[in-house]
Amino acid sequence: TGSIVEIQSNSRIRFFDTGSGVLSQRFVGGGAFEYHGGTQEFASANFLTGDFLLVGGVPVISHNNAFGTAFVSNLADVVLRDVNIANELVGNGNYIIDGVSTYLGGTNRMSGTIDIRSGRLVIGDVAARELQRLGAAHLLSLVGPGNRQEVQPERLAGLLEFILRPKKDGTIHT
């Protein structure tokens, strides 16, 4: 197990590491964590309550609590691998969906892209017209090495699932 790094409220840690591998440190506290690094994998729970800012590199998030309860600002690329994310996601960065199934449950205001490379993306607890879970993000699919194209709604079957929130009377929002 790795060491615990405490980030005090009103403090900021800038993480610059261009390496890869599993990050052994665990981060706790109410301050800000800035990731400027390489391709580190966040595979354990962090207990951050402040800000989690993704600035550079391509981190891999493979633990449901990798962000803690922090507000997540993504300005880079991040891989979400088989996780259930409840945090609010913002920023113009790109989200790469990898693995079997990834669930986004927070209210999101992201404006970058969502690239479903493998598996399924589940957007939870939304009304049919209320796609706030995606924010203004653009859905992309990897069609071949380096070939990206926007996903047309009819091609989303099997890649994207919405869990619809019923109204108080039991009917589904449309």
Side-chain angles (χ1 to χ4, degrees), residues 75-171:
L75 305 174
D77 291 341
V78 62
V79 175
L80 300 178
R81 181 173 293 146
D82 292 329
V83 289
N84 297 326
I85 301 292
N87 305 68
E88 181 175 358
L89 305 174
V90 301
N92 62 359
N94 302 309
Y95 291 88
I96 300 165
I97 307 304
D98 184 35
V100 176
S101 182
T102 294
Y103 174 85
L104 297 181
T107 300
N108 299 304
R109 293 178 287 132
M110 55 185 136
S111 59
T113 62
I114 297 175
D115 187 348
I116 303 172
R117 300 248 174 123
S118 68
R120 181 179 188 85
L121 174 61
V122 180
I123 309 297
D125 192 27
V126 297
R129 282 196 232 160
E130 216 187 76
L131 300 182
Q132 84 271 13
R133 296 294 187 248
L134 287 179
H138 300 285
L139 282 167
L140 297 177
S141 177
L142 188 66
V143 180
N147 296 322
R148 293 173 158 209
Q149 70 178 22
E150 284 197 39
V151 176
Q152 301 304 317
E154 61 272 10
R155 295 190 61 215
L156 289 176
L159 293 177
L160 185 63
E161 175 183 333
F162 293 97
I163 298 173
L164 300 178
R165 179 179 60 223
K167 293 192 251 182
K168 290 181 183 177
D169 66 4
T171 61

Side-chain angles (χ1 to χ4, degrees), residues 24-65:
S24 62
Q25 292 86 359
R26 298 179 102 177
F27 300 95
V28 301
F33 177 82
E34 287 185 14
Y35 183 84
H36 297 261
T39 56
Q40 299 288 337
E41 181 174 355
F42 289 79
S44 58
N46 289 302
F47 300 94
L48 291 169
T49 57
D51 295 326
F52 198 112
L53 180 62
L54 300 162
V55 179
V58 185
V60 175
I61 307 301
S62 63
H63 192 285
N64 294 341
N65 295 317

